[in-house]
Every structure is written in structure tokens, then in C-alpha cells.
Amino acid sequence: MSDAVETIAVLGTGIMGAPMAERMADAGFTVTVWNRTAEKAASLAGKGIAIAAGAVEAAADADVVICMLSSGPVCEAVLAGPDGVIAGMRPGAVLVVMSSIPVETAVALATAAAERGIVCLDAPVSGGEKGAKEGTLAIMVGGDGAVVGQLRGVFACLGRATHVGPAGSGALTKLANQLIVASTICAVAEALTLAESGGADPAKVREALLGGFADSTVFRQHGLRMVEGNFEPGGPAKYQVKDTSTAIAFARTRALRLPVSEEVDRLFQAMVDHGDGDLDHSGVILELRRMNPRGGNSA
Amino acid sequence: MSDAVETIAVLGTGIMGAPMAERMADAGFTVTVWNRTAEKAASLAGKGIAIAAGAVEAAADADVVICMLSSGPVCEAVLAGPDGVIAGMRPGAVLVVMSSIPVETAVALATAAAERGIVCLDAPVSGGEKGAKEGTLAIMVGGDGAVVGQLRGVFACLGRATHVGPAGSGALTKLANQLIVASTICAVAEALTLAESGGADPAKVREALLGGFADSTVFRQHGLRMVEGNFEPGGPAKYQVKDTSTAIAFARTRALRLPVSEEVDRLFQAMVDHGDGDLDHSGVILELRRMNPRGGNSA
């Protein structure tokens, strides 16, 4: 790839892809988008963004192809194979997969891309719709470090990019992020359950610990949901358990024991098995109550 | 107690008690201190603070007695019994136990105090020496809420006090705090271990996740220690495990299962059993490496 990126294709214009495409167009890049359901891309047409009829058409002339489709299997279906996007891209172009995908998929896509002279970066994000709109995403990038440097201007539109290691490392870092979030939610749920069992007021306990060593974004936001009993998602537990179980499965391929994370995964799995998968992940406190029918305020 | 607190006794002038006594004297209270090792209290004499020869003498005329001794058993030895501080306090005075003590000890002291017409609050703190010096401690108060209100001016010298429930609730809230800290440390250690096992650079992973949902004071401070391999305490693991095992033991008295916290306690216990109890609690990542001898960077 030459250093100067001019044309960018964005595959997938959902709640993340659409604002990301807009930000890049606003920054002066020539942006073409494609979305499986065409209507979802239509609103971008008025904003100087071209709409392509197919993924391969969108990607054919692009310097950089950004993939923000919904899952690993969807990315593979659109990107890989003889009729896929990788087969249709210009050699020398760069593919950036920003969906959260399994580590193995990231490595397989990078290998397939390399066979065609294309560099593929796995670059999942954290920060949600708000981060996508405001250009404040945390972007965890695995793959060729020199190419990450060449895309500096593209990433700068979207947020803060950190090169974390070779292909697959971005996907793995996202799993690490999800494990920490899931474990912290469980820690807060168990601590509030303990406090309540001894007669303390969980809302006051949360208030008392604000600003101390136990404080965190999870503690503030998910702790508040637990105290208020508000489990509207947010982040549905069924997606949370998908991430924790993907992380644990990857650890097993490395014969790696992660005892606390394994317990966290089991707890979220039990929550989903008991029918609460559509609740916010902070609802894991309900699973603790289910597990402890005689628990609760004993004062 | 009359609403106006004038005289305060501080029992225990270690790294926490001494600066707390100074702050209260600076605020205009008449402060008398006692310390088992008299030399440690001597430096306070030049600061308008009286030094008493014994704990009972220090407490006899005080409106408020603040106990900042080193542990539950030491507090009981000094406060309880026929020759103890409670027996020598004025009826109507208030005892505030700010040491971290077991919930059962807090309840027992409150009961013994009530028999003499004395209110006892359990009010452990978070924020360490820095918080004590700067008056920014988080103070978790269990006991009579009306009395907590009367001591507003005293607590205001020391930090931010939150009344969390009846006697024992302050001690319990401190345990909840310690459980969250311990669990978050384990979560960060496991996530970094996972990332490293797949070839990502742990230092870059930490950098990538700053500012996101996985971020916290623990993530920043203890994550940095793990990345740098700096396990100078800080907070020695042997004290951490004392707190987690006290919390788990209390949960058992309520027949309460806390599966993630139990695993966290086991992990810290294994770290101490393997001889690393004097390392900072972030050194729990070494226990994960010991558990996973084939783990680590496989790239």
C-alpha cells in the first residue's frame, strides 16, 4: 500500500459502521459503503458517501476495506472464499476487520489475505455506539505494525488505536477486555450480596465505596443497576457469556487454566440457562440470589 | 452525647492514627492520644496534643474515643473487659472503632458498649496513609444513624463518611471493598495471562484497554505492576488473603455461596502457601504462571 489512503470501503453500516463511515467521509476520505439490508445504508447517501450494491463491488477499488459486520461467521462468509471480498480486493490494499471475531478467524483471514498480497488487521473496538459517533473508540489492533502506522490517519477519525501484537492479538485483547468486565461485574454482585446478607444497605455500600480502590466504571454503572434492580440491557448476558466462553475455549487450546474466569463463565452460563440471557449482564446478581435462596438481608 | 463534641481520644498512633489525630487537633478539637509504644506518640506532643500513659486514662473524659489499633484481637484486648476502655468511658460518650475488624467483633463491642450506655460505631476506612494525611478517607460506618449524624464534624476532618447500616455493617462494607479489589486484581492477572498466551504484548494490551470498560484504579496500578514485574508491596498478599478468607468465612455463617470470591480466595491462598505472601497482591499473576508452566507467549 502507498502511504496515502484515499478510498475506504465500509462493509456493514449498523449502529457502529454507519457513524464510523460518516466520520471518515467528514475527514475527507472517499467512502463507499455496503450493507446486506440496503435500506440501512440509504441514509448515508445524502452525506457524500457512495452506496455499493455488493460487498465485492464496494471493496474492489478501495485502499482500505473496513469490515464491521455482526459476527465471525458473517465476516468469514463475506470476506473469504473464491467469491469473497479478499479475492476481489486490489493487491496492496489493507483489510481491517473491526468486528469482534474469534482469534482463530482473525488468523485464518490474515493468512488468506496474505496469499493475495493483502494485509489483514484484526482491530476490534470498545466504546460502543457513543464511541463510534464521537470518534473515541478504543481500537485494539493485531497484525503488521508498519501497516498500522500507515493507517494512523484512518484510525484517528475513529478513536485511539494501539498495536498489541501479531495477527489475532487484537481479537485476543478484546477477549481480555470482556473477561475483565465480566469478572468485575461478578465481583461487584458478590460483594453487594455479601453486604446485604449481613444487614448493610447495598445502595449505601455502593455510595461508601465510590472513589476508593474498589471503584471502576463497572462498579459505578453496573453496581447502580444492581442496587436499583434495573436489568434492561445494556449488554445482554447472552452476549457476555459468548465472549467469556470464547475466551475460556481459547485458553483451553493453550492448556491455560484461568480459575477465576472459568467460575465467572459458569456463573453467566447458569444465568442464561435459567432464562435470564436477555437481561443486562449486571443481572448476574439475580443468579446469586437464585443460588442462595436463604440469603439476603438477615438483619 | 450532647451534640457538641469537644474532646477526642485517639487510641493507636500508627501510620493512620497519628495524622488523623493531628487533623482533628488542627480543626480545634481537644485531642488526647495513647499508643502502646509511647515513643510513636511523642512527636504529637509538640502539636498541642496530650499524651496519656494508658488507654483508659486517654478515654476517661473524652466525648468521642477513636480506636485505630492494628487488628480485631488488639481492639478487643484494649476495649473490652472489666479493665478495658469501654468500662472506663463516660456513659453518653461515643466509641468509634476505625480499625478493620471482623463483623462479629464489631457487633460484640457494640453490645458491650450499649450495656454501659455508650454507642459504639464500626467505621473502617479505605484510602491508606495518604487519605489519612489529606483527610480524604472513605469511612464506612455501621451503628446508630443519629449518632453518625452527631459526629459529622469529626468525620469531616478525616474524609467522607457513609452510614451503611446497623452495627457490623461498616466492617462488612470494608470486607466487600476488599473482595472487589482482590477479585479485580485476579481478573486483570488472568486477562493479561490469556493475552500473553496468544502472543499479544501485555504492556500494549494494558495500554489499549485504558479508558474503556475494563479500566479501573486496580487495572491501572496493579496492571502496571504485573506488566513491569514489580511486586514490592504495596499491599502484601498475606493481608489480602486475611481479608478474603474473613469475608468467605462470614458468608459461610450466612450459608451464602459466592463462587467467584471463593475462587479468588483460593488463588491468593495458593500464592501465600507457595511462599509469596510478602509480595504485593498483584503478584498473584506469578501464581497463575506457576499453575500454567506451559503457558506464556506461544508466538
Side-chain angles (χ1 to χ4, degrees):
Chain A
M1 190 186 71
S2 87
D3 280 11
V5 177
E6 290 178 6
T7 58
I8 299 176
V10 177
L11 311 179
T13 56
I15 57 168
M16 299 295 288
M20 290 163 67
E22 266 195 72
R23 290 192 62 86
M24 291 186 284
D26 288 347
F29 293 106
T30 302
V31 178
T32 302
V33 302
W34 168 79
N35 198 65
R36 190 178 297 261
T37 312
E39 305 90 74
K40 287 192 183 169
S43 70
L44 294 170
K47 294 169 177 168
I49 294 174
I51 317 286
V56 174
E57 291 89 323
D61 295 320
D63 298 321
V64 174
V65 177
I66 289 178
C67 176
M68 202 44 164
L69 297 164
S70 61
S71 71
V74 173
C75 290
E76 273 196 302
V78 170
L79 300 176
D83 301 323
V85 165
I86 290 172
M89 283 172 70
R90 285 200 292 97
V94 179
L95 173 61
V96 187
V97 183
M98 302 189 77
S99 314
S100 291
I101 61 174
V103 177
E104 294 80 358
T105 305
V107 172
L109 288 171
T111 304
E115 285 167 9
R116 287 216 56 246
I118 292 161
V119 170
C120 176
L121 306 176
D122 50 303
V125 302
S126 172
E129 185 178 4
K130 184 164 181 282
K133 285 184 172 163
E134 297 175 359
T136 57
L137 294 169
I139 310 169
M140 310 151 221
V141 196
D144 185 322
V147 175
V148 177
Q150 287 168 359
L151 296 197
R152 203 177 291 119
V154 177
F155 287 133
C157 302
L158 306 176
R160 187 173 61 87
T162 309
H163 179 232
V164 290
S169 297
L172 189 57
T173 302
K174 180 72 190 274
L175 288 180
N177 183 78
Q178 302 302 82
L179 266 192
I180 294 174
V181 170
S183 301
T184 310
I185 290 174
C186 289
V188 172
E190 292 196 0
L192 292 179
T193 300
L194 175 74
E196 191 169 25
S197 81
D201 176 346
K204 291 293 184 178
V205 170
R206 176 181 170 281
E207 197 183 315
L209 302 190
L210 289 174
F213 256 116
D215 199 359
S216 63
T217 308
V218 165
F219 180 76
R220 289 182 180 245
Q221 295 189 11
H222 297 85
L224 186 62
R225 284 168 165 275
M226 293 177 204
V227 163
E228 293 181 342
N230 169 18
F231 304 120
E232 290 275 310
K238 64 186 175 189
Y239 298 143
Q240 175 76 81
V241 82
K242 201 182 70 171
D243 288 332
T244 55
S245 60
T246 301
I248 297 301
F250 180 82
R252 292 217 173 103
T253 67
R254 293 288 191 273
L256 193 64
R257 284 188 55 210
L258 301 174
V260 174
S261 303
E262 289 162 19
E263 205 58 56
V264 166
D265 181 48
R266 268 191 287 275
L267 195 56
F268 277 110
Q269 191 60 61
M271 176 184 173
V272 172
D273 289 347
H274 286 124
D276 283 346
D278 288 316
L279 298 185
D280 186 73
H281 41 189
S282 55
V284 77
I285 198 168
L286 301 176
E287 188 56 32
L288 288 171
R289 287 186 195 144
R290 198 176 284 124
M291 183 181 286
N292 292 295
R294 295 185 303 144
N297 194 324
S298 65
Chain B
M1 191 185 73
S2 89
D3 279 12
V5 177
E6 290 177 8
T7 57
I8 300 176
V10 178
L11 311 179
T13 56
I15 58 167
M16 299 296 287
M20 290 163 68
E22 266 195 72
R23 290 193 63 86
M24 292 186 283
D26 288 348
F29 292 107
T30 302
V31 178
T32 302
V33 303
W34 168 79
N35 198 65
R36 190 179 297 261
T37 313
E39 305 90 75
K40 287 193 185 169
S43 70
L44 295 170
K47 294 168 178 169
I49 294 174
I51 317 285
V56 174
E57 290 89 323
D61 295 321
D63 298 322
V64 174
V65 176
I66 290 178
C67 176
M68 203 44 163
L69 297 164
S70 61
S71 72
V74 173
C75 289
E76 273 197 302
V78 171
L79 300 176
D83 301 323
V85 165
I86 290 172
M89 283 172 71
R90 284 200 292 98
V94 180
L95 174 62
V96 188
V97 182
M98 302 190 77
S99 314
S100 291
I101 59 174
V103 178
E104 294 80 358
T105 305
V107 172
L109 288 172
T111 305
E115 285 168 8
R116 288 216 56 244
I118 292 162
V119 171
C120 176
L121 306 175
D122 51 302
V125 301
S126 172
E129 185 178 3
K130 183 164 180 283
K133 284 183 172 163
E134 296 175 358
T136 57
L137 295 168
I139 310 168
M140 311 150 219
V141 195
D144 185 322
V147 175
V148 176
Q150 288 167 358
L151 296 197
R152 203 176 292 119
V154 177
F155 288 133
C157 302
L158 306 176
R160 187 173 60 87
T162 310
H163 180 233
V164 290
S169 297
L172 189 57
T173 301
K174 180 71 190 274
L175 288 179
N177 183 78
Q178 302 302 84
L179 266 192
I180 294 174
V181 170
S183 301
T184 310
I185 290 173
C186 289
V188 172
E190 292 196 1
L192 292 179
T193 300
L194 175 74
E196 190 169 24
S197 80
D201 176 346
K204 292 292 186 181
V205 170
R206 176 182 171 279
E207 197 183 314
L209 302 190
L210 289 176
F213 255 116
D215 199 359
S216 63
T217 308
V218 164
F219 179 77
R220 289 182 179 242
Q221 295 190 11
H222 297 85
L224 186 62
R225 284 168 165 275
M226 293 177 204
V227 163
E228 294 181 341
N230 169 17
F231 304 121
E232 290 274 310
K238 64 185 175 188
Y239 297 143
Q240 176 75 83
V241 82
K242 201 183 70 170
D243 288 332
T244 55
S245 60
T246 302
I248 297 301
F250 180 81
R252 291 215 174 105
T253 67
R254 294 287 192 272
L256 194 64
R257 284 188 54 210
L258 301 174
V260 174
S261 303
E262 288 163 19
E263 205 57 58
V264 166
D265 181 48
R266 269 192 287 275
L267 195 56
F268 276 109
Q269 191 62 61
M271 175 184 174
V272 172
D273 289 347
H274 287 122
D276 283 346
D278 288 317
L279 298 185
D280 186 74
H281 41 188
S282 55
V284 78
I285 198 168
L286 301 177
E287 188 57 34
L288 288 171
R289 287 188 194 142
R290 198 177 283 126
M291 183 182 286
N292 293 295
R294 294 184 303 143
N297 195 324
S298 64

